[in-house]
Amino acid sequence: MGAFRLITWNVNSVRARLEQVARLSHEQRPHILCLQETKVDDNGFPHKAMRAAGYRHVCPRGQRMHHGVAILARVPVVHSYSLDWCGKGDARHIAVRLESGVEVHCFYVPAGGDEPDPETNPRFAHKLAFLDEMRAWAETLDRPVVLVGDLNVAPLETDVWSHKQLRNVISHTPPERTRLDALLAAHDWVDAMRAAVPAEHKLFTWWSYRARDWQASNRGRRLDHIWVSRPLMDRFRTMRVLDDVRDWPRPSDHAPVLADFDDL
């Protein structure tokens, strides 16, 4: 285990998967666990269960039945805050500042619906506007940042099971991929997952519930990301997609992603 371990996971309802969160926390012992799609407001968030799992700081930003993010930390947190995106008041972002000054930002980007046309699909228009707003925010950052979460975009051809079949499917369309590239460049982040696994290799974090045997079909997408400010990359050790968790009882459709650092 590294000196500092971070995990990000779209848990797809934190209350429905309390046992899985506890098991993941026990087996992997992350210093920080970032959750997305918690689907619960802050008053209903399972604070007691998370503290029982060893997290000293529990920082949720939620809303009832929809969206929701949280950062759980075993290490000291000196400040936590949330930003509103696109003026909608959705619970899609939470950030914490560590004693070192490094900030960890946890995002849940809108999925975007089914029709990849912003003129006819307001949900897709919202997703593109959200990514544009993130890029503008990233240009203002003046401190080291680790950005994690379900960004709902698979940017590379090897981030989907079939580029040919999915290139016009939301999560892999050119407008989304172009915007994600611009966001990545806006703060000169490094895509830590692709620093560990070269771009010529397939890499997935999400598999649809519709597949009878998700492992056999392996029709996945890389929707979950860990980005690291370039000056922090000398502390980065390795990354793993914990795809065995996708096969646990009552799983999320996303697998957790783990990153080890020398320190943060």
Side-chain angles (χ1 to χ4, degrees):
M1 177 175 175
F4 195 104
R5 174 163 289 180
L6 179 150
I7 292 178
T8 180
W9 188 21
N10 179 319
V11 71
N12 194 5
S13 177
V14 66
R15 291 188 295 185
R17 268 166 268 285
L18 277 179
E19 291 184 7
Q20 290 89 335
V21 171
R23 178 178 172 183
L24 179 71
S25 300
H26 175 73
E27 292 184 1
Q28 299 297 339
R29 305 293 297 174
H31 295 87
I32 287 183
L33 174 60
C34 298
L35 300 176
Q36 304 89 43
E37 206 172 354
T38 55
K39 295 184 178 179
V40 63
D41 63 19
D42 293 350
N43 289 332
F45 193 85
H47 293 262
K48 185 176 179 180
M50 297 309 173
R51 291 196 172 94
Y55 297 106
R56 298 165 52 188
H57 299 274
V58 179
C59 306
R61 170 75 173 97
Q63 61 192 94
R64 186 172 178 267
M65 298 176 65
H66 296 284
H67 323 314
V69 288
I71 297 179
L72 316 174
R74 302 180 194 272
V75 295
V77 167
V78 300
H79 180 53
S80 66
Y81 64 96
S82 178
L83 300 175
D84 186 21
W85 300 87
C86 300
K88 288 184 173 289
D90 292 342
R92 294 186 176 276
H93 169 264
I94 187 75
V96 298
R97 187 174 303 154
L98 306 180
E99 288 183 319
S100 63
V102 172
E103 290 192 352
V104 178
H105 288 255
C106 175
F107 280 92
Y108 177 43
V109 171
D114 297 320
E115 176 59 42
D117 184 349
E119 299 297 324
T120 59
N121 178 5
R123 295 173 67 187
F124 190 57
H126 175 212
K127 181 176 189 176
L128 299 183
F130 195 106
L131 293 169
D132 286 338
E133 196 166 296
M134 285 181 69
R135 177 196 49 75
W137 160 79
E139 291 174 346
T140 70
L141 292 174
D142 59 359
R143 62 174 57 92
V145 169
V146 177
L147 182 154
V148 307
D150 178 3
L151 303 187
N152 261 314
V153 182
L156 304 182
E157 294 186 12
T158 48
D159 288 334
V160 293
W161 65 272
S162 171
H163 169 66
K164 181 178 180 180
Q165 295 187 61
L166 296 180
R167 60 188 174 186
N168 292 315
V169 173
I170 288 181
S171 80
H172 193 59
T173 65
E176 296 166 278
R177 296 167 65 200
T178 298
R179 282 168 170 80
L180 203 70
D181 287 344
L183 171 58
L184 185 69
H187 177 65
D188 194 27
W189 273 296
V190 177
D191 180 345
M193 296 178 70
R194 281 307 185 181
V197 179
E200 59 266 27
H201 297 292
K202 295 278 191 181
L203 183 61
F204 308 145
T205 64
W206 174 91
W207 296 262
S208 173
Y209 283 130
R210 296 176 183 175
R212 290 186 177 182
D213 187 336
W214 69 273
Q215 290 176 311
S217 62
N218 199 30
R219 293 191 171 193
R221 307 180 201 179
R222 182 172 73 112
L223 303 180
D224 305 273
H225 296 261
I226 297 177
W227 295 358
V228 178
S229 291
R230 192 170 296 276
L232 297 177
M233 277 303 291
D234 59 356
R235 310 181 196 179
F236 175 69
R237 287 189 180 181
T238 189
M239 178 284 308
R240 282 187 288 141
V241 176
L242 303 176
D243 52 6
D244 61 308
V245 176
R246 179 63 177 81
D247 213 27
W248 286 1
R250 300 183 69 234
S252 169
D253 45 358
H254 293 252
V257 184
L258 173 155
D260 281 338
F261 299 83
D262 289 327
D263 195 11
L264 270 187

